[in-house]
Amino acid sequence: MTRVTDDIIIRAVARVIMPFIQIYALYVIMHGHHSPGGGFQGGVILGASFILYLITHGLEDAKKRMSELKAGLFSSFGLLIYSGIGLLCLIMGSNYLDYGRLSTLLKVIPAQARSLGILGVEIGVGIAVMAVMFSIFFDISTGGVVPEDEQELETGDE
Amino acid sequence: MSVLHLTSIPFLLGGFFFFFTATVGLLRFPDFFCRLHATGKGDTLAVLLSLIGLSIYEGFSFTSLKILFIAVFMFLAQPTSTHAISRAAMRCGLEPWTKKMEKKNDSNL
């Protein structure tokens, strides 16, 4: 169980720099295909900003922003984007993740279609990595105790 | 050698000097808090000076703007992390070093 800090300096600075960390993460994801970076690195930075929130503001506040259930849904959603784009290429009649064939669907030249396709894949990877990073840290900080979200779900089903 | 290169030299040399003093402090000071004091202050100033020097060397461009963003981030994040580490050490019950403590330890030895 993490202990919440009551220190005003750490909380204030964390609150100030968190949006900039997230903007930087989006920059790394967006520039992945023509500069160093990419979906995984940007996703890790994005996950680190949420982990910073969890460390500075405590487990209860972090749960309101991003619960374990939401993290699981986001990781599945990111994987769905990735595999969906891959399968779309397959449906259009080329290899898995061969974005060139998407040009007829997007109405652009094949080179642009490749650029857009890999951007979409990297966004999916970024979302999945962010959610998985947060969920791993969530599991570590709760110490293996069953989160309340799942308990509520179980009682709700009954 | 243009004017930009010449102006960046004092900043870079200042950065090297403060990195050096911070490292000497880290190696020579007696306990955790003193070492944190030396590296926290020295490294922040050294990183700031080095990055400003590099951005001047680069000239007026988008790259130098990015380097200045890194400098601002360092200026915010580094003192805060130093503060967090020292506060955590204080809460864990690590006692700051005093001259008296050293004498006591010597007599124990």
Side-chain angles (χ1 to χ4, degrees), chain A residues 5 15 77 79 119 125 136 152:
Chain A
T5 174
R15 214 162 44 222
F77 180 65
L79 197 64
L119 183 63
V125 171
I136 288 170
E152 280 168 18

Side-chain angles (χ1 to χ4, degrees), chain A residues 46-64:
Chain A
L46 203 58
S49 75
F50 282 108
I51 289 171
L52 182 65
Y53 187 84
L54 201 156
I55 290 171
T56 52
H57 288 72
L59 208 58
E60 296 306 314
D61 274 11
K63 248 183 207 169
K64 283 177 203 155

Side-chain angles (χ1 to χ4, degrees), chain A:
Chain A
M1 204 70 183
T2 51
R3 193 166 56 183
V4 184
T5 174
D6 56 345
D7 190 5
I8 189 77
I9 296 173
I10 297 170
R11 289 172 77 115
V13 172
R15 214 162 44 222
V16 167
I17 66 176
M18 224 175 323
F20 295 104
I21 295 174
Q22 286 170 350
I23 289 282
Y24 179 66
L26 295 181
Y27 167 80
V28 169
I29 291 175
M30 287 297 161
H31 277 248
H33 51 300
H34 48 74
S35 73
F40 186 83
Q41 289 87 340
V44 167
I45 297 169
L46 203 58
S49 75
F50 282 108
I51 289 171
L52 182 65
Y53 187 84
L54 201 156
I55 290 171
T56 52
H57 288 72
L59 208 58
E60 296 306 314
D61 274 11
K63 248 183 207 169
K64 283 177 203 155
R65 305 282 167 130
M66 173 79 105
S67 63
E68 186 149 53
L69 182 71
K70 264 190 217 164
L73 284 176
F74 268 119
S75 63
S76 320
F77 180 65
L79 197 64
L80 185 72
I81 293 175
Y82 175 82
S83 57
I85 290 173
L87 282 177
L88 202 61
C89 300
L90 210 62
I91 290 166
M92 299 295 285
S94 66
N95 291 324
Y96 187 72
L97 290 178
D98 186 5
Y99 318 108
R101 197 55 74 87
L102 290 176
S103 57
T104 50
L105 201 70
L106 296 167
K107 296 189 174 56
V108 288
I109 58 170
Q112 281 177 334
R114 283 182 194 282
S115 177
L116 287 172
I118 200 153
L119 183 63
V121 163
E122 270 174 2
I123 288 169
V125 171
I127 291 172
V129 169
M130 178 268 288
V132 169
M133 282 279 293
F134 187 77
S135 129
I136 288 170
F137 192 81
F138 205 88
D139 286 343
I140 292 170
S141 61
T142 49
V145 181
V146 178
E148 286 162 17
D149 290 331
E150 289 179 10
Q151 285 172 356
E152 280 168 18
L153 269 185
E154 280 165 15
T155 50
D157 287 339
E158 286 164 10

Side-chain angles (χ1 to χ4, degrees), chain B:
Chain B
M1 284 292 251
S2 69
V3 184
L4 283 177
H5 292 190
L6 283 175
T7 32
S8 72
I9 287 172
F11 283 99
L12 288 174
L13 284 179
F16 294 149
F17 173 73
F18 282 110
F19 266 131
F20 182 75
T21 47
T23 313
V24 170
L26 175 70
L27 293 174
R28 297 287 299 171
F29 275 169
D31 83 327
F32 181 75
F33 292 107
C34 296
R35 286 173 187 167
L36 208 62
H37 173 80
T39 47
K41 282 188 164 63
D43 273 357
T44 309
L45 188 58
V47 164
L48 214 64
L49 284 174
S50 305
L51 289 174
I52 288 172
L54 285 177
S55 71
I56 290 172
Y57 184 87
E58 185 65 29
F60 189 74
S61 70
F62 191 53
T63 314
S64 66
L65 186 70
K66 280 190 213 168
I67 293 172
L68 285 180
F69 278 146
I70 297 172
V72 171
F73 181 80
M74 281 289 178
F75 191 65
L76 277 174
Q78 219 159 8
T80 313
S81 56
T82 310
H83 171 79
I85 293 168
S86 62
R87 192 181 151 88
M90 204 72 191
R91 279 191 160 186
C92 288
L94 186 68
E95 284 189 15
W97 174 85
T98 51
K99 204 82 178 171
K100 215 181 285 173
M101 196 196 277
E102 194 175 67
K103 273 177 193 162
K104 206 195 292 172
N105 284 345
D106 281 349
S107 63
N108 284 347
L109 288 169

